[in-house]
Every structure is written in C-alpha cells, then in structure tokens.
C-alpha cells in the first residue's frame, strides 16, 4: 500500500505534465492567432503560396504584394511593392501567451522591395500597407474605422535579417520617368524596430552592391537611427560606384552627360535635433564628361576638374 509520501512524486509529475500540455496548447493557439494576424496584415494586394505554422514560429513562402497606385499624383513605377521567397517569423513565446505581438527575429530571404520618391519629395514604401486608406475604404463602418485608426496594432521586432535582397529606388524628383537605382546582394541586420510609432533607437548594418551602367560598386552603412525623430549616427562607405548611374545627381538635366568614372565615399554623418553634421571624403576617379562646359555637383566643371 502506497503512503501519501510515496504518492507525492506521482502527483507532482502529473501536475508538471498538465502544465506542460496546457502551455503547449496555449502556445499553439497563440501561434495560430499570430498566423491570422499575418494574413490580415497582407491586405487585398498581398498573396502567399503557403504559411506554415510550427512550434517555433511561422514560415511564409513566396510572398508577393502587388503594386497599387496609392494616390492619384504618382503611379507606382514597379510591378510589385514587395516580393520574398521565404520569410521566417519567430515570435516571443512569453509575449505571445499574454497577447502582445513581439517578434524575436524576422528573417527575409531573396526579397525585392520598391521605393519611390515622389515629385513632391515624399518617400513612399509599401503604400498598400502603410499609407492611409483611400476612397476604396469609404462606406465602411465609420465607428470601426476610427477605432482601428485610434488604436493601431503595436508591434516590436527585436531583430530583422535580410539575406540576398534587392531594392529598386525610383526618384521622380530628378527625372520623368523616375530615375532608377538598383541595389542587389543586400545583406542587412536591423535591431529593434517599434511599430507603428517607430520610437526607440534601431541599429543598422547593411552591405550590398549598387548596380551601374559600366560597372558595379559596393555600399555599406552601419550605425544607429531613430526613425521617429530622424536622429542618427551612421558610417557610409561607397567603393567604385559607377558615376554614369548617378548622373542626374551630379549634373543638371540641361547639361552634359557623364561618359565614365567611379566614385569612392567615406562619410560619418550624424543628425541631432534636426542638425546634420557629415564630414567625409569624396574621391572621383577616371572622370570623363562629354562636354567641356557646364557644372558638376553645382560647381563650374573646369574648377572641379582642375582641383582634381
């Protein structure tokens, strides 16, 4: 006959198992809820091939967010706003079961993202997700709309990893149609991002290839930035960047063309209370213009070339 003392290990074991199964069930339910939030966040322009749920997180394959005009002033210049072959979302277990949305790591592989600087200078990224609803949202229940606007979902991402990504930057302020710069082979790590208010300091470590007309260059950016206040401290390095690709930023549209040349840049920039301080070194190599007249980077061409 078992004594009460001998039964205590069995009772404790059953209790531990019960708590374990209860925690597992709660975690599984939280992950499923998190998957639903992802599907909802993609919006009407988003599509995915598959969303897999595991004990560690959510895996999204073949994500695509199709382009939307966003507003009537500037149409989107690319077919898609975002593409990615694989996205791994690892949420925080402790925060999930309390209802908070905290992502420990967001890993994005083989992604493409388009960015547009409109003619008015406004930077637009993922307009179908980040910009305010337009006329298509009229007719919805105003109470639910105002409630969601007043209480947007808060999300914290502790680390973002970008592996072999590509970015196309379209600049409508220098040319029509917009001038295009493309970065490829981007590998980046971004630490701590708070959405939607963007408060708090985020660390950056980005490296990639800037595509050129005659040759490709290398770019790296590291440091920290607070997106909400736009204060930052960054170190930027460019090596062997093709000047032909940067032509609109060097010469006015009415002036001569850049035939060849490369650019190296070492820049230590900081922004504090709206004041920019950016000492650095700019090196132009093998510069060749198609004319002897005009200006280069806002200065008379002959003075710039003479100083070299």
């Amino acid at each position: 006959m078992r004594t009460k003392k001998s039964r205590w290990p069995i009772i404790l074991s059953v209790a531990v198992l019960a708590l374990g199964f209860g925690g597992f069930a709660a975690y599984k339910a939280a992950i499923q809820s998190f998957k639903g939030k992802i599907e909802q966040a993609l919006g009407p322009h988003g599509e995915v091939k598959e969303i897999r749920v595991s004990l560690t997180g959510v895996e999204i394959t073949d994500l695509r967010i199709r382009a939307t005009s966003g507003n009537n002033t500037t149409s989107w210049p690319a077919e898609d706003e975002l593409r990615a072959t694989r996205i791994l979302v690892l949420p925080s277990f402790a925060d999930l079961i309390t209802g908070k949305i905290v992502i420990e790591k967001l890993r994005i592989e083989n992604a493409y993202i388009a960015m547009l600087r409109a003619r008015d200078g406004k930077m637009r990224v993922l307009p179908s997700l980040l910009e305010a609803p337009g006329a298509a949202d009229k007719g919805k229940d105003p109470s639910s709309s105002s409630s969601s606007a007043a209480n947007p979902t808060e999300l914290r991402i502790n680390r973002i990893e970008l592996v072999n990504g590509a970015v196309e930057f379209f600049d409508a302020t220098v040319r029509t149609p917009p001038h295009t710069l493309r970065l490829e082979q981007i590998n980046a790590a971004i630490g701590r991002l708070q959405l939607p208010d963007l408060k708090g300091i985020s660390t950056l470590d980005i490296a990639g290839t800037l595509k050129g007309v005659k040759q490709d260059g290398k770019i790296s950016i590291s440091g920290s930035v607070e997106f909400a206040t736009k204060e930052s401290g960054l170190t930027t390095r460019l090596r062997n960047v093709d000047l032909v690709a940067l032509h609109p930023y060097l010469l006015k549209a009415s002036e001569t063309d850049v035939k060849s040349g490369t650019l190296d840049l070492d820049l230590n920039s900081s922004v504090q209370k709206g004041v920019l301080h950016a000492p650095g070194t700019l090196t132009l190599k093998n510069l060749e213009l198609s004319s002897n007249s005009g200006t280069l980077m806002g200065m008379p061409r002959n003075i710039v070339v003479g100083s070299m």
Side-chain angles (χ1 to χ4, degrees), residues 33-280:
S33 174
F34 188 68
K35 174 188 174 185
K37 287 182 171 66
I38 291 175
E39 293 173 330
Q40 183 180 7
L42 289 176
H45 297 275
E47 58 186 49
V48 294
K49 180 180 180 181
E50 187 177 9
I51 299 180
R52 302 189 190 100
V53 177
S54 68
L55 293 179
T56 57
V58 178
E59 182 182 10
I60 304 169
T61 57
D62 294 335
L63 168 70
R64 181 189 182 195
I65 298 179
R66 291 173 279 107
T68 176
S69 60
N71 59 47
N72 295 326
T73 58
T74 307
S75 60
W76 197 251
E79 182 179 0
D80 297 321
E81 297 178 8
L82 173 67
R83 295 191 305 269
T85 59
R86 181 175 181 264
I87 299 177
L88 185 62
V89 185
L90 303 179
S92 166
F93 172 78
D95 291 298
L96 262 183
I97 60 178
T98 61
K100 297 179 181 179
I101 305 179
V102 177
I103 297 175
E104 283 297 332
K105 183 168 73 172
L106 176 64
R107 180 182 173 91
I108 307 172
E109 300 176 0
N110 302 315
Y112 163 86
I113 188 168
M115 305 171 64
L116 171 66
R117 181 190 285 172
R119 287 190 295 272
D120 60 4
K122 179 183 178 182
M123 184 66 71
R124 301 179 61 207
V125 183
L126 293 173
S128 64
L129 298 183
L130 303 181
E131 294 184 1
D137 292 316
K138 291 183 179 179
K140 291 184 178 180
D141 183 0
S143 60
S144 63
S145 175
S146 59
S147 175
S148 61
N151 301 285
T153 301
E154 293 186 0
L155 168 66
R156 189 178 83 235
I157 306 174
N158 290 333
R159 180 177 174 85
I160 300 174
E161 295 179 356
L162 184 64
V163 181
N164 193 32
V167 173
E168 274 192 310
F169 174 62
F170 300 91
D171 194 345
T173 64
V174 297
R175 178 179 292 175
T176 302
H179 179 67
T180 305
L181 289 175
R182 182 178 176 90
L183 284 82
E184 295 181 350
Q185 302 174 23
I186 300 174
N187 294 291
I190 303 173
R192 197 188 186 280
L193 189 63
Q194 182 74 37
L195 300 173
D197 57 28
L198 298 176
K199 292 182 179 179
I201 296 175
S202 301
T203 58
L204 300 176
D205 189 2
I206 304 171
T209 298
L210 181 59
K211 300 296 292 182
V213 177
K214 296 192 174 184
Q215 70 175 64
D216 299 335
K218 297 295 183 180
I219 179 172
S220 65
I221 303 172
S222 60
S224 62
V225 59
E226 183 168 5
F227 294 103
T229 62
K230 299 182 180 179
E231 293 194 349
S232 63
L234 299 172
T235 298
T236 303
R237 289 170 55 91
L238 303 179
R239 289 295 181 269
N240 299 317
V241 172
D242 188 1
L243 287 174
V244 179
L246 301 179
H247 167 229
Y249 302 101
L250 303 175
L251 301 169
K252 295 181 180 178
S254 60
E255 295 175 344
T256 184
D257 291 332
V258 175
K259 295 180 66 176
S260 65
T262 61
L263 176 149
D264 290 348
L265 174 67
D266 290 280
L267 186 67
N268 294 310
S269 63
S270 64
V271 177
Q272 294 183 351
K273 298 181 180 180
V275 177
L276 170 65
H277 180 63

Side-chain angles (χ1 to χ4, degrees), residues 11-25:
I11 295 172
L12 288 174
S13 299
V14 172
V16 170
L17 286 173
L19 288 172
F21 281 117
F24 172 77

